[in-house]
Protein backbone atom coordinates (compact mmCIF):
# COMPACT_ATOMS: atom_id res chain seq x y z
CA UNK A 1 0.00 0.00 0.00
CA UNK A 2 2.86 2.29 0.89
CA UNK A 3 4.67 1.41 -2.36
CA UNK A 4 1.56 2.23 -4.38
CA UNK A 5 1.24 5.55 -2.58
CA UNK A 6 4.83 6.45 -3.42
CA UNK A 7 4.32 5.61 -7.09
CA UNK A 8 1.18 7.72 -7.14
CA UNK A 9 3.03 10.62 -5.52
CA UNK A 10 5.88 10.38 -8.06
CA UNK A 11 3.36 10.36 -10.91
CA UNK A 12 1.68 13.49 -9.52
CA UNK A 13 5.05 15.23 -9.17
CA UNK A 14 5.95 14.36 -12.76
CA UNK A 15 2.63 15.77 -13.92
CA UNK A 16 3.19 19.00 -12.01
CA UNK A 17 6.69 19.38 -13.42
CA UNK A 18 5.41 18.75 -16.95
CA UNK A 19 2.65 21.33 -16.45
CA UNK A 20 5.17 23.89 -15.24
CA UNK A 21 7.38 23.22 -18.23
CA UNK A 22 4.45 23.64 -20.63
CA UNK A 23 3.40 26.89 -18.94
CA UNK A 24 6.92 28.25 -19.14
CA UNK A 25 7.50 27.15 -22.72
CA UNK A 26 4.17 27.80 -24.32
CA UNK A 27 2.70 29.87 -21.52
CA UNK A 28 -0.80 30.56 -20.41
CA UNK A 29 0.20 34.22 -20.60
CA UNK A 30 2.10 36.03 -23.37
CA UNK A 31 5.84 35.51 -23.00
CA UNK A 32 7.00 38.53 -24.98
CA UNK A 33 8.09 39.43 -28.49
CA UNK A 34 10.93 37.39 -29.92
CA UNK A 35 13.77 35.81 -28.00
CA UNK A 36 15.28 37.50 -24.93
CA UNK A 37 17.93 40.01 -26.00
CA UNK A 38 20.04 42.83 -24.63
CA UNK A 39 17.83 45.25 -26.57
CA UNK A 40 14.85 44.38 -24.38
CA UNK A 41 16.88 45.39 -21.32
CA UNK A 42 18.16 48.54 -23.06
CA UNK A 43 14.64 49.76 -23.84
CA UNK A 44 13.46 49.13 -20.27
CA UNK A 45 16.36 51.16 -18.85
CA UNK A 46 16.02 53.98 -21.38
CA UNK A 47 12.30 54.52 -20.79
CA UNK A 48 12.57 54.43 -16.98
CA UNK A 49 15.40 56.94 -16.70
CA UNK A 50 14.15 59.10 -19.54
CA UNK A 51 10.94 59.56 -17.53
CA UNK A 52 12.89 60.50 -14.41
CA UNK A 53 15.27 62.74 -16.37
CA UNK A 54 12.33 64.82 -17.59
CA UNK A 55 11.56 65.66 -13.97
CA UNK A 56 15.04 66.99 -13.08
CA UNK A 57 14.08 70.68 -13.19
CA UNK A 58 10.54 70.32 -11.72
CA UNK A 59 11.85 68.18 -8.85
CA UNK A 60 14.37 70.84 -7.81
CA UNK A 61 11.66 73.48 -7.64
CA UNK A 62 9.14 71.28 -5.81
CA UNK A 63 11.82 70.24 -3.33
CA UNK A 64 12.50 73.83 -2.32
CA UNK A 65 8.80 74.74 -2.20
CA UNK A 66 8.02 71.72 0.01
CA UNK A 67 10.99 72.13 2.37
CA UNK A 68 11.90 75.85 2.21
CA UNK A 69 13.83 75.96 5.51
CA UNK A 70 15.99 72.82 5.38
CA UNK A 71 16.04 71.93 1.70
CA UNK A 72 19.47 70.31 1.55
CA UNK A 73 18.97 68.39 4.79
CA UNK A 74 15.61 66.96 3.67
CA UNK A 75 16.99 66.15 0.23
CA UNK A 76 19.85 64.25 1.86
CA UNK A 77 17.52 62.34 4.18
CA UNK A 78 15.14 61.41 1.34
CA UNK A 79 17.92 60.18 -0.93
CA UNK A 80 19.74 58.56 1.99
CA UNK A 81 16.72 56.54 3.09
CA UNK A 82 16.11 55.50 -0.50
CA UNK A 83 19.73 54.45 -0.94
CA UNK A 84 19.88 52.44 2.29
CA UNK A 85 16.63 50.63 1.48
CA UNK A 86 17.98 49.77 -1.97
CA UNK A 87 21.19 48.47 -0.43
CA UNK A 88 19.26 46.27 2.01
CA UNK A 89 16.77 44.91 -0.52
CA UNK A 90 18.95 44.35 -3.61
CA UNK A 91 20.35 40.92 -2.58
CA UNK A 92 16.89 39.60 -1.65
CA UNK A 93 15.31 40.76 -4.91
CA UNK A 94 18.21 39.28 -6.83
CA UNK A 95 17.83 35.94 -5.05
CA UNK A 96 14.08 35.87 -5.62
CA UNK A 97 14.55 36.66 -9.32
CA UNK A 98 16.85 33.62 -9.53
CA UNK A 99 13.84 31.53 -8.45
CA UNK A 100 10.80 33.25 -9.95
CA UNK A 101 12.32 34.75 -13.08
CA UNK A 102 13.44 38.19 -14.22
CA UNK A 103 10.36 39.50 -16.01
CA UNK A 104 8.14 39.70 -12.93
CA UNK A 105 10.83 41.56 -10.99
CA UNK A 106 11.54 43.92 -13.87
CA UNK A 107 7.86 44.79 -13.77
CA UNK A 108 7.92 45.17 -9.98
CA UNK A 109 11.02 47.37 -9.81
CA UNK A 110 9.99 49.65 -12.69
CA UNK A 111 6.45 50.05 -11.34
CA UNK A 112 7.50 51.02 -7.81
CA UNK A 113 10.44 53.14 -8.96
CA UNK A 114 8.12 55.19 -11.20
CA UNK A 115 5.14 55.18 -8.80
CA UNK A 116 6.04 58.59 -7.23
CA UNK A 117 6.02 60.44 -10.59
CA UNK A 118 2.30 61.36 -10.82
CA UNK A 119 2.29 62.36 -7.13
CA UNK A 120 4.51 65.38 -7.84
CA UNK A 121 1.51 67.54 -8.75
CA UNK A 122 -1.06 65.68 -6.62
CA UNK A 123 0.74 65.91 -3.28
CA UNK A 124 4.43 66.89 -2.99
CA UNK A 125 4.66 65.50 0.55
CA UNK A 126 3.43 62.10 -0.61
CA UNK A 127 5.72 62.40 -3.62
CA UNK A 128 8.85 62.61 -1.48
CA UNK A 129 7.57 60.06 1.04
CA UNK A 130 6.93 57.50 -1.71
CA UNK A 131 10.35 58.25 -3.25
CA UNK A 132 11.98 57.28 0.05
CA UNK A 133 9.98 54.07 0.44
CA UNK A 134 10.40 53.15 -3.24
CA UNK A 135 14.06 52.49 -2.48
CA UNK A 136 13.01 48.97 -1.49
CA UNK A 137 12.35 48.28 -5.18
CA UNK A 138 14.65 50.86 -6.82
CA UNK A 139 17.09 48.19 -7.99
CA UNK A 140 16.20 47.95 -11.67
CA UNK A 141 19.84 47.76 -12.67
CA UNK A 142 20.42 44.67 -10.53
CA UNK A 143 17.59 42.83 -12.29
CA UNK A 144 18.62 44.15 -15.71
CA UNK A 145 22.20 42.96 -15.20
CA UNK A 146 20.83 39.54 -14.19
CA UNK A 147 18.64 39.56 -17.32
CA UNK A 148 21.67 40.35 -19.50
CA UNK A 149 23.78 37.69 -17.75
CA UNK A 150 21.11 35.06 -18.51
CA UNK A 151 21.30 35.61 -22.26
CA UNK A 152 24.99 36.34 -22.86
CA UNK A 153 28.18 34.35 -22.72
CA UNK A 154 30.89 35.48 -20.33
CA UNK A 155 33.06 36.99 -23.08
CA UNK A 156 30.05 39.02 -24.34
CA UNK A 157 28.94 40.29 -20.96
CA UNK A 158 31.20 43.31 -20.56
CA UNK A 159 30.12 44.70 -23.93
CA UNK A 160 26.47 44.07 -23.09
CA UNK A 161 26.79 45.84 -19.72
CA UNK A 162 28.54 48.70 -21.49
CA UNK A 163 25.60 49.04 -23.88
CA UNK A 164 23.16 49.16 -20.97
CA UNK A 165 25.26 51.78 -19.17
CA UNK A 166 25.63 53.86 -22.32
CA UNK A 167 21.85 53.77 -22.82
CA UNK A 168 21.38 54.95 -19.25
CA UNK A 169 23.76 57.85 -19.85
CA UNK A 170 22.08 58.70 -23.16
CA UNK A 171 18.65 58.94 -21.50
CA UNK A 172 19.98 61.45 -18.95
CA UNK A 173 21.90 63.42 -21.56
CA UNK A 174 18.72 64.29 -23.46
CA UNK A 175 15.78 64.16 -21.05
CA UNK A 176 16.62 66.96 -18.53
CA UNK A 177 16.96 69.46 -21.40
CA UNK A 178 13.66 68.33 -22.93
CA UNK A 179 11.93 68.55 -19.55
CA UNK A 180 13.32 72.03 -18.87
CA UNK A 181 12.17 73.30 -22.28
CA UNK A 182 8.66 71.84 -21.96
CA UNK A 183 8.35 73.18 -18.41
CA UNK A 184 9.33 76.66 -19.54
CA UNK A 185 7.00 76.61 -22.55
CA UNK A 186 3.96 74.71 -21.24
CA UNK A 187 4.35 74.36 -17.48
CA UNK A 188 5.55 71.60 -15.16
CA UNK A 189 2.17 69.83 -15.22
CA UNK A 190 2.71 68.79 -18.82
CA UNK A 191 6.17 67.46 -17.94
CA UNK A 192 4.73 65.34 -15.12
CA UNK A 193 1.99 63.98 -17.42
CA UNK A 194 4.55 63.13 -20.11
CA UNK A 195 6.87 61.43 -17.59
CA UNK A 196 3.93 59.41 -16.24
CA UNK A 197 2.95 58.36 -19.77
CA UNK A 198 6.51 57.21 -20.53
CA UNK A 199 6.63 55.24 -17.26
CA UNK A 200 3.33 53.54 -18.17
CA UNK A 201 4.74 52.79 -21.62
CA UNK A 202 7.73 51.12 -19.96
CA UNK A 203 5.44 48.97 -17.81
CA UNK A 204 3.34 47.99 -20.84
CA UNK A 205 6.50 47.16 -22.78
CA UNK A 206 7.62 44.77 -20.03
CA UNK A 207 4.18 43.14 -19.88
CA UNK A 208 3.78 42.70 -23.62
CA UNK A 209 7.20 42.63 -25.26
CA UNK A 210 9.83 41.45 -22.76
CA UNK A 211 10.31 37.66 -22.76
CA UNK A 212 11.53 35.76 -19.70
CA UNK A 213 15.33 35.39 -19.79
CA UNK A 214 15.90 32.80 -17.08
CA UNK A 215 16.77 29.57 -18.92
CA UNK A 216 13.83 27.20 -19.24
CA UNK A 217 15.77 24.32 -17.71
CA UNK A 218 16.35 26.40 -14.58
CA UNK A 219 12.77 27.45 -13.92
CA UNK A 220 11.07 24.14 -12.98
CA UNK A 221 14.00 23.14 -10.80
CA UNK A 222 13.88 26.51 -9.07
CA UNK A 223 10.21 26.56 -8.16
CA UNK A 224 9.88 26.22 -4.44
CA UNK A 225 13.64 26.43 -3.89
CA UNK A 226 14.44 27.85 -0.45
CA UNK A 227 16.00 31.29 -0.11
CA UNK A 228 18.69 31.29 2.57
CA UNK A 229 19.44 34.32 4.73
CA UNK A 230 23.02 34.29 3.41
CA UNK A 231 21.69 35.00 -0.08
CA UNK A 232 19.51 37.87 1.13
CA UNK A 233 22.05 39.31 3.60
CA UNK A 234 23.22 42.69 2.20
CA UNK A 235 26.26 42.60 4.50
CA UNK A 236 27.38 39.12 3.41
CA UNK A 237 30.01 40.42 0.98
CA UNK A 238 31.18 43.15 3.38
CA UNK A 239 31.97 40.56 6.08
CA UNK A 240 34.76 39.19 3.88
CA UNK A 241 36.54 42.54 3.49
CA UNK A 242 39.13 41.97 6.21
CA UNK A 243 40.20 38.52 5.02
CA UNK A 244 42.96 39.88 2.76
CA UNK A 245 45.06 43.00 3.30
CA UNK A 246 45.07 43.96 -0.40
CA UNK A 247 41.30 43.59 -0.63
CA UNK A 248 40.98 45.71 2.51
CA UNK A 249 43.07 48.51 0.95
CA UNK A 250 40.99 48.43 -2.26
CA UNK A 251 37.71 48.47 -0.35
CA UNK A 252 38.81 51.38 1.88
CA UNK A 253 39.84 53.30 -1.25
CA UNK A 254 36.44 52.66 -2.86
CA UNK A 255 34.56 53.67 0.31
CA UNK A 256 36.48 56.93 0.87
CA UNK A 257 36.22 57.96 -2.80
CA UNK A 258 32.66 56.89 -3.56
CA UNK A 259 31.08 58.25 -0.35
CA UNK A 260 31.51 61.90 -1.45
CA UNK A 261 30.61 60.98 -5.03
CA UNK A 262 27.28 59.50 -3.95
CA UNK A 263 26.55 62.55 -1.79
CA UNK A 264 27.53 64.89 -4.61
CA UNK A 265 25.13 63.33 -7.11
CA UNK A 266 22.25 63.59 -4.65
CA UNK A 267 22.58 67.34 -4.05
CA UNK A 268 24.76 68.93 -6.71
CA UNK A 269 22.06 69.81 -9.25
CA UNK A 270 20.00 71.38 -6.47
CA UNK A 271 23.13 73.29 -5.42
CA UNK A 272 23.64 74.58 -8.98
CA UNK A 273 20.00 75.59 -9.33
CA UNK A 274 19.45 77.30 -6.01
CA UNK A 275 22.84 78.47 -4.73
CA UNK A 276 24.86 79.11 -7.89
CA UNK A 277 21.92 80.61 -9.81
CA UNK A 278 21.82 78.19 -12.75
CA UNK A 279 18.63 78.27 -14.78
CA UNK A 280 16.73 75.05 -15.53
CA UNK A 281 18.22 75.02 -19.03
CA UNK A 282 21.73 75.53 -17.66
CA UNK A 283 21.35 72.59 -15.25
CA UNK A 284 20.10 70.40 -18.11
CA UNK A 285 23.02 71.49 -20.31
CA UNK A 286 25.45 70.80 -17.46
CA UNK A 287 24.10 67.25 -17.08
CA UNK A 288 24.37 66.67 -20.84
CA UNK A 289 27.93 67.97 -21.13
CA UNK A 290 29.08 66.08 -18.03
CA UNK A 291 27.50 62.87 -19.32
CA UNK A 292 29.11 63.14 -22.76
CA UNK A 293 32.55 63.97 -21.34
CA UNK A 294 32.29 61.10 -18.84
CA UNK A 295 31.47 58.61 -21.59
CA UNK A 296 34.53 59.79 -23.54
CA UNK A 297 36.70 59.63 -20.40
CA UNK A 298 35.57 56.10 -19.48
CA UNK A 299 36.16 54.75 -22.99
CA UNK A 300 38.88 56.48 -25.03
CA UNK A 301 40.84 58.24 -22.28
CA UNK A 302 40.69 55.31 -19.86
CA UNK A 303 41.97 52.91 -22.51
CA UNK A 304 44.89 55.20 -23.39
CA UNK A 305 45.84 55.73 -19.75
CA UNK A 306 45.69 52.03 -18.90
CA UNK A 307 48.12 51.25 -21.74
CA UNK A 308 50.47 54.17 -21.11
CA UNK A 309 50.79 54.61 -17.34
CA UNK A 310 49.37 51.37 -15.95
CA UNK A 311 46.42 50.37 -13.82
CA UNK A 312 47.42 51.68 -10.40
CA UNK A 313 48.65 55.04 -11.74
CA UNK A 314 45.34 55.46 -13.58
CA UNK A 315 43.51 55.01 -10.27
CA UNK A 316 45.77 57.56 -8.59
CA UNK A 317 45.26 60.01 -11.46
CA UNK A 318 41.47 59.61 -11.26
CA UNK A 319 41.55 60.25 -7.51
CA UNK A 320 43.70 63.33 -8.11
CA UNK A 321 41.15 64.70 -10.57
CA UNK A 322 38.36 63.98 -8.05
CA UNK A 323 40.18 65.94 -5.32
CA UNK A 324 40.62 68.90 -7.66
CA UNK A 325 37.00 68.73 -8.78
CA UNK A 326 35.55 68.60 -5.25
CA UNK A 327 37.84 71.38 -4.00
CA UNK A 328 36.79 73.53 -6.96
CA UNK A 329 33.13 72.85 -6.19
CA UNK A 330 33.76 73.71 -2.54
CA UNK A 331 35.49 77.05 -3.10
CA UNK A 332 33.87 78.05 -6.40
CA UNK A 333 31.53 81.01 -6.22
CA UNK A 334 30.90 81.73 -9.90
CA UNK A 335 29.03 79.69 -12.53
CA UNK A 336 32.06 79.41 -14.84
CA UNK A 337 33.94 77.69 -12.02
CA UNK A 338 31.24 75.03 -11.85
CA UNK A 339 31.55 74.39 -15.59
CA UNK A 340 35.32 74.08 -15.36
CA UNK A 341 35.09 71.76 -12.36
CA UNK A 342 32.50 69.68 -14.25
CA UNK A 343 35.06 68.97 -16.97
CA UNK A 344 37.48 67.79 -14.28
CA UNK A 345 34.67 65.66 -12.78
CA UNK A 346 34.34 63.81 -16.08
CA UNK A 347 38.01 62.83 -15.85
CA UNK A 348 37.56 61.65 -12.27
CA UNK A 349 34.99 59.11 -13.48
CA UNK A 350 37.84 56.83 -14.65
CA UNK A 351 38.59 55.78 -11.06
CA UNK A 352 36.05 53.04 -10.51
CA UNK A 353 36.48 51.30 -13.91
CA UNK A 354 40.22 51.29 -13.21
CA UNK A 355 39.63 49.74 -9.78
CA UNK A 356 37.42 47.07 -11.35
CA UNK A 357 40.10 46.32 -13.94
CA UNK A 358 42.76 46.06 -11.23
CA UNK A 359 40.67 43.55 -9.31
CA UNK A 360 39.83 41.61 -12.45
CA UNK A 361 43.51 41.31 -13.42
CA UNK A 362 44.92 40.42 -10.00
CA UNK A 363 42.22 38.18 -8.52
CA UNK A 364 42.12 34.47 -9.26
CA UNK A 365 39.34 33.26 -11.54
CA UNK A 366 37.39 31.75 -8.65
CA UNK A 367 37.78 34.91 -6.55
CA UNK A 368 36.35 37.40 -9.06
CA UNK A 369 32.75 37.30 -7.91
CA UNK A 370 33.74 37.56 -4.25
CA UNK A 371 35.91 40.66 -4.58
CA UNK A 372 33.67 42.41 -7.09
CA UNK A 373 30.72 41.66 -4.80
CA UNK A 374 32.48 43.37 -1.90
CA UNK A 375 33.18 46.48 -3.97
CA UNK A 376 29.62 46.62 -5.28
CA UNK A 377 28.30 46.21 -1.73
CA UNK A 378 30.44 49.10 -0.48
CA UNK A 379 29.19 51.33 -3.28
CA UNK A 380 25.62 50.41 -2.40
CA UNK A 381 26.25 51.34 1.24
CA UNK A 382 27.71 54.68 0.14
CA UNK A 383 24.57 55.39 -1.88
CA UNK A 384 22.71 55.52 1.42
CA UNK A 385 25.31 57.19 3.63
CA UNK A 386 26.61 59.81 1.15
CA UNK A 387 23.39 61.79 0.53
CA UNK A 388 22.51 61.88 4.24
CA UNK A 389 26.04 63.03 5.12
CA UNK A 390 26.01 65.84 2.54
CA UNK A 391 22.58 67.01 3.66
CA UNK A 392 23.71 67.08 7.29
CA UNK A 393 26.88 69.06 6.46
CA UNK A 394 24.86 71.62 4.48
CA UNK A 395 22.57 71.88 7.52
CA UNK A 396 25.29 72.39 10.17
CA UNK A 397 26.98 75.04 7.99
CA UNK A 398 23.63 76.85 7.60
CA UNK A 399 23.54 76.67 3.82
CA UNK A 400 19.84 77.38 3.40
CA UNK A 401 17.59 78.86 0.73
CA UNK A 402 15.37 81.12 2.80
CA UNK A 403 16.34 84.32 1.00
CA UNK A 404 16.38 82.96 -2.54
CA UNK A 405 13.65 84.12 -4.95
CA UNK A 406 12.34 81.32 -7.14
CA UNK A 407 11.16 83.43 -10.06
CA UNK A 408 12.95 83.53 -13.38
CA UNK A 409 13.18 86.34 -15.89
CA UNK A 410 11.77 86.03 -19.37
CA UNK A 411 15.28 85.88 -20.80
CA UNK A 412 15.82 82.56 -19.04
CA UNK A 413 18.26 83.59 -16.29
CA UNK A 414 17.59 83.02 -12.62
CA UNK A 415 16.88 86.03 -10.43
CA UNK A 416 19.43 85.17 -7.78
CA UNK A 417 19.58 88.65 -6.19
CA UNK A 418 23.26 88.07 -5.58
CA UNK A 419 22.36 85.48 -2.96
CA UNK A 420 25.71 83.73 -3.05
CA UNK A 421 27.41 87.09 -2.40
CA UNK A 422 25.33 87.61 0.73
CA UNK A 423 26.55 84.44 2.39
CA UNK A 424 29.02 85.00 5.21
CA UNK A 425 30.76 81.68 4.74
CA UNK A 426 34.14 81.70 2.99
CA UNK A 427 33.38 78.20 1.66
CA UNK A 428 30.19 78.22 -0.47
CA UNK A 429 30.02 74.40 -0.64
CA UNK A 430 31.37 72.88 2.62
CA UNK A 431 30.31 69.26 1.86
CA UNK A 432 32.39 69.28 -1.31
CA UNK A 433 35.47 70.36 0.63
CA UNK A 434 34.81 67.53 3.10
CA UNK A 435 34.57 65.19 0.13
CA UNK A 436 37.94 66.40 -1.17
CA UNK A 437 39.50 65.53 2.20
CA UNK A 438 37.90 62.09 2.09
CA UNK A 439 39.27 61.42 -1.42
CA UNK A 440 42.71 62.65 -0.31
CA UNK A 441 42.67 59.89 2.32
CA UNK A 442 41.59 57.44 -0.39
CA UNK A 443 44.59 58.54 -2.49
CA UNK A 444 46.98 57.94 0.42
CA UNK A 445 45.50 54.46 0.97
CA UNK A 446 45.67 53.65 -2.76
CA UNK A 447 49.42 54.36 -2.76
CA UNK A 448 49.91 51.17 -0.76
CA UNK A 449 47.99 48.94 -3.22
CA UNK A 450 50.47 46.80 -5.20
CA UNK A 451 49.80 46.75 -8.92
CA UNK A 452 50.65 43.08 -9.40
CA UNK A 453 49.50 40.64 -6.75
CA UNK A 454 47.14 37.73 -6.20
CA UNK A 455 44.05 38.33 -4.12
CA UNK A 456 43.47 35.38 -1.80
CA UNK A 457 40.05 35.96 -0.30
CA UNK A 458 38.66 32.74 1.10
CA UNK A 459 35.63 32.09 -1.06
CA UNK A 460 34.59 28.61 0.05
CA UNK A 461 31.44 29.75 1.86
CA UNK A 462 30.61 32.15 -0.95
CA UNK A 463 30.94 29.48 -3.61
CA UNK A 464 28.98 27.04 -1.48
CA UNK A 465 25.96 29.30 -1.13
CA UNK A 466 26.17 30.54 -4.73
CA UNK A 467 26.46 27.02 -6.06
CA UNK A 468 23.40 25.74 -4.25
CA UNK A 469 21.02 28.49 -5.35
CA UNK A 470 22.66 30.28 -8.27
CA UNK A 471 22.80 29.35 -11.91
CA UNK A 472 25.48 29.32 -14.61
CA UNK A 473 24.59 32.79 -15.82
CA UNK A 474 24.60 34.46 -12.43
CA UNK A 475 25.02 38.23 -12.70
CA UNK A 476 27.85 38.21 -10.20
CA UNK A 477 30.36 38.20 -13.00
CA UNK A 478 33.33 40.51 -13.10
CA UNK A 479 31.65 42.71 -15.65
CA UNK A 480 28.85 43.60 -13.26
CA UNK A 481 31.08 46.00 -11.44
CA UNK A 482 31.06 48.24 -14.48
CA UNK A 483 28.10 50.22 -13.25
CA UNK A 484 26.74 53.38 -14.84
CA UNK A 485 27.84 56.87 -13.98
CA UNK A 486 24.78 57.39 -11.78
CA UNK A 487 23.00 54.74 -9.74
CA UNK A 488 19.31 54.02 -9.53
CA UNK A 489 19.23 55.64 -6.13
CA UNK A 490 20.86 58.87 -7.21
CA UNK A 491 18.58 60.05 -9.98
Amino acid sequence: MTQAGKKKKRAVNRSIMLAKKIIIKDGGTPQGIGSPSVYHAVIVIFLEFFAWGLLTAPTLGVLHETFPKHTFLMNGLIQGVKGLLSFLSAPLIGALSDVWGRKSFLLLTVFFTCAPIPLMKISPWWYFAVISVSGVFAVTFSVVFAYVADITQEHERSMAYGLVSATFAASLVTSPAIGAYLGRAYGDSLVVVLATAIALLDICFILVAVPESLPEKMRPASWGAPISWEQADPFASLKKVGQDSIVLLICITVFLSYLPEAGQYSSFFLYLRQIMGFSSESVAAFIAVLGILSIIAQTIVLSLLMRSIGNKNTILLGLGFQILQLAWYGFGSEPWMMWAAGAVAAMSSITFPAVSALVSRTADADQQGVVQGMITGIRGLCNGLGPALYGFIFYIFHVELNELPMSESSSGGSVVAQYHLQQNSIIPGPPFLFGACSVLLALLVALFIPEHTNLTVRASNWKKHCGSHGHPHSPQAPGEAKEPLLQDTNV
Side-chain angles (χ1 to χ4, degrees):
M1 190 70 179
T2 305
Q3 190 70 18
K6 289 182 179 180
K7 288 183 179 179
K8 185 177 180 180
K9 185 176 181 180
R10 283 198 296 269
V12 171
N13 288 338
R14 282 197 297 270
S15 300
I16 293 174
M17 295 294 286
L18 181 60
K20 289 177 181 178
K21 188 172 292 187
I22 292 173
I23 290 172
I24 292 163
K25 185 174 182 179
D26 301 320
T29 58
Q31 293 298 302
I33 298 176
S35 301
S37 70
V38 177
Y39 299 107
H40 288 100
V42 161
I43 294 174
V44 170
I45 286 294
F46 181 84
L47 291 176
E48 176 181 333
F49 288 99
F50 190 89
W52 274 108
L54 289 172
L55 297 178
T56 301
T59 297
L60 299 182
V62 172
L63 184 66
H64 175 53
E65 292 171 4
T66 308
F67 309 107
K69 292 186 176 180
H70 304 299
T71 308
F72 285 101
L73 176 63
M74 294 306 300
N75 176 65
L77 291 177
I78 291 167
Q79 298 297 331
V81 169
K82 182 179 179 182
L84 284 175
L85 289 177
S86 298
F87 167 71
L88 295 174
S89 65
L92 177 60
I93 291 179
L96 291 175
S97 73
D98 284 341
V99 176
W100 294 338
R102 315 298 184 198
K103 179 172 180 173
S104 57
F105 282 92
L106 276 177
L107 184 64
L108 190 70
T109 55
V110 171
F111 175 81
F112 281 100
T113 302
C114 296
I117 291 177
L119 295 175
M120 177 180 284
K121 286 299 179 182
I122 298 174
S123 172
W125 279 91
W126 276 106
Y127 170 71
F128 291 112
V130 174
I131 282 180
S132 299
V133 178
S134 70
V136 175
F137 298 100
V139 290
T140 307
F141 266 106
S142 299
V143 184
V144 164
F145 282 163
Y147 189 98
V148 171
D150 290 339
I151 58 179
T152 56
Q153 300 298 320
E154 188 171 348
H155 66 278
E156 305 171 327
R157 212 160 287 161
S158 295
M159 184 177 294
Y161 287 154
L163 179 60
V164 173
S165 298
T167 302
F168 167 85
S171 69
L172 292 182
V173 164
T174 56
S175 55
I178 295 173
Y181 170 76
L182 292 177
R184 172 64 61 86
Y186 304 103
D188 289 344
S189 296
L190 176 66
V191 180
V192 174
V193 170
L194 179 60
T196 303
I198 293 175
L200 290 174
L201 177 62
D202 197 10
I203 293 170
C204 292
F205 176 78
I206 297 172
L207 281 171
V208 175
V210 176
E212 177 56 58
S213 67
L214 198 62
E216 180 184 330
K217 62 183 179 181
M218 299 302 301
R219 293 291 299 278
S222 298
W223 285 29
I227 301 296
S228 68
W229 168 245
E230 189 175 5
Q231 282 179 287
D233 183 6
F235 299 97
S237 61
L238 302 183
K239 294 174 183 176
K240 302 178 176 65
V241 167
Q243 295 180 4
D244 184 276
S245 59
I246 308 302
V247 173
L248 181 61
L249 290 175
I250 293 174
C251 289
I252 292 175
T253 301
V254 171
F255 179 82
L256 291 174
S257 62
Y258 193 71
L259 184 68
E261 186 176 343
Q264 170 190 324
Y265 284 137
S266 70
S267 61
F268 187 63
F269 301 136
L270 176 66
Y271 181 79
L272 290 179
R273 178 75 175 85
Q274 309 293 356
I275 299 299
M276 299 308 301
F278 276 46
S279 66
S280 299
E281 291 80 3
S282 297
V283 172
F286 188 95
I287 295 173
V289 172
L290 181 60
I292 293 171
L293 292 178
S294 297
I295 292 172
I296 296 173
Q298 293 183 60
T299 53
I300 300 173
V301 177
L302 178 63
S303 177
L304 293 174
L305 289 175
M306 294 283 279
R307 288 198 300 265
S308 59
I309 65 175
N311 207 321
K312 178 181 174 180
N313 289 331
T314 301
I315 295 173
L316 297 177
L317 183 63
L319 292 173
F321 276 118
Q322 189 177 1
I323 294 171
L324 177 60
Q325 160 227 329
L326 288 169
W328 211 336
Y329 283 160
F331 288 109
S333 58
E334 299 294 336
W336 70 266
M337 296 180 181
M338 299 297 103
W339 283 99
V344 178
M347 282 299 301
S348 71
S349 66
I350 65 175
T351 303
F352 187 71
V355 169
S356 299
L358 176 65
V359 170
S360 180
R361 291 180 180 181
T362 56
D364 294 334
D366 60 347
Q367 307 285 320
Q368 294 279 345
V370 182
V371 183
Q372 298 283 8
M374 294 178 196
I375 295 174
T376 303
I378 287 174
R379 281 167 62 91
L381 186 62
C382 290
N383 283 331
L385 298 178
L389 179 63
Y390 265 51
F392 180 69
I393 295 175
F394 272 123
Y395 173 72
I396 63 177
F397 277 87
H398 306 291
V399 180
E400 300 294 349
L401 310 177
N402 299 340
E403 306 295 330
L404 182 63
M406 293 298 296
S407 59
E408 294 187 359
S409 64
S410 57
S411 62
S414 295
V415 182
V416 184
Q418 298 181 345
Y419 175 73
H420 56 280
L421 298 178
Q422 296 174 8
Q423 295 196 84
N424 296 323
S425 176
I426 299 176
I427 305 173
F432 305 113
L433 189 61
F434 169 83
C437 296
S438 177
V439 179
L440 178 60
L441 293 177
L443 178 64
L444 296 177
V445 172
L447 289 172
F448 294 95
I449 300 175
E451 182 147 9
H452 302 288
T453 186
N454 286 325
L455 303 183
T456 57
V457 180
R458 293 181 289 278
S460 57
N461 292 334
W462 180 281
K463 289 190 289 183
K464 180 179 177 182
H465 107 81
C466 285
S468 53
H469 300 293
H471 57 81
H473 299 290
S474 173
Q476 195 69 327
E480 182 177 357
K482 297 181 180 178
E483 297 180 20
L485 177 64
L486 304 179
Q487 304 284 318
D488 300 40
T489 56
N490 293 330
V491 177

